[in-house]
Structures are given as structure tokens and as C-alpha cells.
């Protein structure tokens, strides 16, 4: 199954961002983008790809330990950015240092569980809002519009393991659905 570890924003934060995205969708070019569903919004910590069923218990155990070693930390949705002309995302503010450490721990957990992880080129905390369709859309005005966006902070207190169901073959415009298959609470400080 296709898996990734993630931090899921709470409903209040999702609602704030959804209101912002409704504004973004009024901008020229918005129709040329494939917008993600608020219900699936997440900050990816570590992408594992296809993982065999028998690896999941060991992976879960390692992720539980990674969560236990992490202290709860504040995070807020803040501003945005883009990956070239491919993806538009919302960013975060708060304890990004702890978020980054958590991403490293999730990556290490997956490796120790025997999953062949990509070498990662630096961690950019991001919540993907839209991807470009075939035609290139200039994402800069969308990033600029997100500039002043600041959601209310929340305390991140758990790590989630999410299964990604890719769209069934050939059906265009159908988005993947995400299913949370595990969730582990953080431990105390240190
Ligand atoms: P789609 O692939 O149909 O556009 P998606 O990217 O949301 O949808 P997945 O490909 O299953 O669905 O990815 C799940 C999450 O993991 C997404 O946040 C995605 O950006 C991230 N991700 C996917 N592939 C990688 C990768 N090779 N490295 C890092 N993150 C990845
Ligand atoms: Mg993908």
C-alpha cells in the first residue's frame, strides 16, 4: 500500500485555509489548476511509497517511538510558496525546527523498518493546495495572495500514517483519497 507520514491540521485551521483558498480561486488562471480537497490537507513528513503489508507493523512500532520522542509544539498556517510551476502550497510558522526533527525521525523510522527511502533534498514544510494541469499557469500571483495569510496556531500533538489511494486507472480529474491508518501521540518534553 502507498503510505506517507504526515501532520494533519485541525478542522479550525483547515476551515481558515479553505476560506483563503476560496479567494485564491477567484484569481485568473485558477481554473487551470487542480485544487486539492480540504479534507485531505496535510503536511507530509516522509513519503514511503509502496510498502508491503508485512512491513506495516514494524513501521508502526518505529513511528510510535518517533512520536514518543517528540514534544508537542505550536504550528500555524502561514503564507505560501510554489515548487516551480508545478505546485502551489501553504506554508507554516511556529516550531519548524521541531517539525523538521519529526520529519527526520519519521524518515529514520521508515528506513529502520526496511523501506527504501529517497535521499531527501532538504525538507520544505508545505501543504499542497494545487497542482498545475497540462497548461502552465503562473503561480506567482497565488503565492503573493497567500503572503499575508496567517492562521491561528494549534499544538501539534500526534503523528499520522496515511494511506494514499491513487485514482483508478485512466479516470482523469479524480483525486486520490487519503485514509489515516495510524496515529501516535507525542511524548513529553525531550
Ligand atoms: P497525485 O499524485 O495524484 O497528484 P498526491 O501527490 O497527493 O496526488 P501521492 O502521490 O500518493 O498523492 O502523495 C501523497 C503525499 O506524499 C503528497 O503530499 C505528495 O506531495 C507526497 N509525495 C508524493 N511523492 C513524493 C516523493 N517522491 N517525495 C516526497 N513526497 C512525496
Ligand atoms: Mg503524487
Amino acid at each position: 500500500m502507498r503510505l506517507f507520514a504526515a501532520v494533519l491540521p485541525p478542522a479550525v485551521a483547515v476551515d481558515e485555509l479553505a476560506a483563503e483558498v476560496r479567494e485564491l480561486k477567484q484569481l485568473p488562471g485558477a481554473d487551470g489548476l487542480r485544487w486539492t480537497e480540504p479534507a485531505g490537507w496535510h503536511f507530509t513528513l516522509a513519503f514511503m511509497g509502496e510498502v508491503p503489508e508485512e512491513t506495516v507493523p514494524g513501521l508502526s512500532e518505529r513511528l510510535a517511538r518517533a512520536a514518543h520522542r517528540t514534544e508537542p509544539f505550536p504550528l500555524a498556517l502561514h503564507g505560501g510558496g510554489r515548487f516551480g510551476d508545478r505546485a502551489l502550497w501553504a506554508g507554516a510558522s511556529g516550531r519548524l525546527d521541531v517539525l523538521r526533527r519529526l520529519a527526520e525521525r519519521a524518515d529514520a523510522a521508515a528506513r529502520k523498518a526496511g523501506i527504501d527511502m529517497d535521499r531527501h533534498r532538504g525538507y520544505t514544510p508545505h501543504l499542497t493546495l494545487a497542482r498545475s494541469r497540462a497548461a502552465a499557469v503562473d503561480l506567482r500571483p497565488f503565492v503573493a495572495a497567500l503572503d499575508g495569510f496567517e492562521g491561528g496556531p494549534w499544538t501539534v500533538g500526534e503523528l499520522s500514517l496515511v494511506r494514499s489511494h491513487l485514482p483508478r486507472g485512466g479516470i482523469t480529474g479524480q483525486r486520490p483519497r487519503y485514509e489515516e491508518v495510524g496515529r501516535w501521540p507525542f511524548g513529553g518534553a525531550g
Side-chain angles (χ1 to χ4, degrees):
M1 63 187 85
R2 191 176 173 96
L3 295 175
F4 61 97
V7 162
L8 307 182
V12 268
V14 168
D15 290 346
E16 288 169 346
L17 183 57
E20 180 72 17
V21 166
R22 280 194 287 276
E23 303 290 314
L24 296 181
K25 285 182 175 176
Q26 307 301 312
L27 294 175
D31 291 347
L33 298 173
R34 185 163 62 95
W35 294 86
T36 55
E37 297 287 348
W41 282 345
H42 59 269
F43 285 95
T44 301
L45 293 167
F47 178 76
M48 289 134 196
E50 208 52 45
V51 173
E53 189 94 46
E54 62 266 28
T55 302
V56 176
L59 171 64
S60 299
E61 205 173 294
R62 304 274 187 189
L63 287 173
R65 246 179 281 168
H68 187 74
R69 286 198 300 273
T70 303
E71 72 271 32
F73 63 94
L75 201 68
L77 295 168
H78 176 82
R82 63 193 171 106
F83 293 132
D85 55 9
R86 293 174 292 112
L88 171 72
W89 44 265
S93 62
R95 290 299 301 277
L96 299 182
D97 56 328
V98 184
L99 183 65
R100 181 169 288 106
R101 209 176 309 139
L102 180 62
E104 284 163 7
R105 284 176 179 150
D107 179 82
R111 283 171 200 280
K112 286 183 205 146
I115 297 164
D116 187 17
M117 299 292 286
D118 279 348
R119 275 257 141 259
H120 41 189
R121 313 145 283 173
Y123 178 69
T124 305
H126 68 279
L127 184 161
T128 300
L129 294 176
R131 294 188 177 82
S132 49
R133 295 182 193 273
V137 174
D138 183 4
L139 293 178
R140 286 173 298 185
F142 293 89
V143 175
L146 275 167
D147 212 34
F149 175 68
E150 175 89 58
W154 76 93
T155 302
V156 181
E158 60 198 15
L159 148 67
S160 297
L161 181 62
V162 183
R163 179 174 184 180
S164 172
H165 299 273
L166 289 179
R168 278 189 297 269
I171 306 172
T172 55
Q174 199 181 324
R175 294 179 181 80
R177 289 190 309 273
Y178 305 116
E179 178 195 355
E180 192 182 39
V181 293
R183 183 196 293 173
W184 299 277
F186 296 165

